[in-house]
Amino acid sequence: MTERAERAQRLHEKGYNCAQAVICAYCDQFGLDEETAYKMAEGFGLGMGIMEVCGALSGAFMLAGVRGSKGTAHPGETKGQTYKTTRALAAAFKEKNGTYLCRELKGVADGNVRRSCPGCIEDACALIEEFLVK
């Protein structure tokens, strides 16, 4: 497990949701204010609060935007590439875990827990290292 993944795990143990733990573990590396990132990611825990896309993976998606976007000075110019990166992150996460939906990862319907939250955080951090850290 990487140092960043270990930091994300510690943040999660302190009460950060999965998205907050992932994004905050990388704030310094991506030039983000941790307090703002924490607040921004709050609604993305528990699969966006409704057990949809995994919160840890959502944190990785947010970092894909930070890494890929040229910002408001160039609206729309980088969206396509950021979406491509997001799809690649989702596909890699799904390949490893069979799904990227929180309710399926947690086995809500069938009782088959596919991945724990700490496991999802570890996987999201590994994908960030592979796809986003330069």
Side-chain angles (χ1 to χ4, degrees):
M1 187 178 319
T2 67
E3 179 182 324
R4 297 290 174 162
E6 288 174 359
R7 181 166 192 266
Q9 297 292 354
R10 287 191 305 274
L11 294 173
H12 189 253
E13 290 166 5
K14 284 176 56 176
Y16 288 44
N17 71 36
C18 295
Q20 291 167 322
V22 168
I23 197 168
C24 289
Y26 287 89
C27 279
D28 62 326
Q29 190 168 14
F30 282 73
L32 297 172
D33 166 60
E34 190 167 337
E35 185 71 17
T36 302
Y38 177 90
K39 291 176 181 179
M40 179 179 65
E42 191 159 275
F44 290 85
L46 192 66
M48 294 187 250
I50 54 173
M51 298 199 89
E52 289 293 325
V53 175
C54 168
L57 185 59
S58 294
F61 291 168
M62 286 185 250
L63 292 173
V66 172
R67 175 64 70 217
S69 180
K70 289 187 178 179
T72 58
H74 303 276
E77 189 175 310
T78 54
K79 282 193 288 189
Q81 183 58 45
T82 300
Y83 295 161
K84 183 178 177 182
T85 301
T86 300
R87 284 191 303 272
L89 288 164
F93 190 93
K94 185 175 182 178
E95 183 177 322
K96 178 168 179 53
N97 296 299
T99 186
Y100 50 74
L101 297 176
C102 181
R103 68 177 170 275
E104 293 175 1
L105 290 160
K106 303 304 164 233
V108 172
D110 61 9
N112 178 25
V113 177
R114 290 158 184 83
R115 196 75 166 132
S116 66
C117 289
C120 290
I121 290 168
E122 182 178 352
D123 294 344
C125 290
L127 293 173
I128 290 164
E129 297 293 328
E130 180 180 345
F131 287 87
L132 303 177
V133 173
K134 304 204 186 293

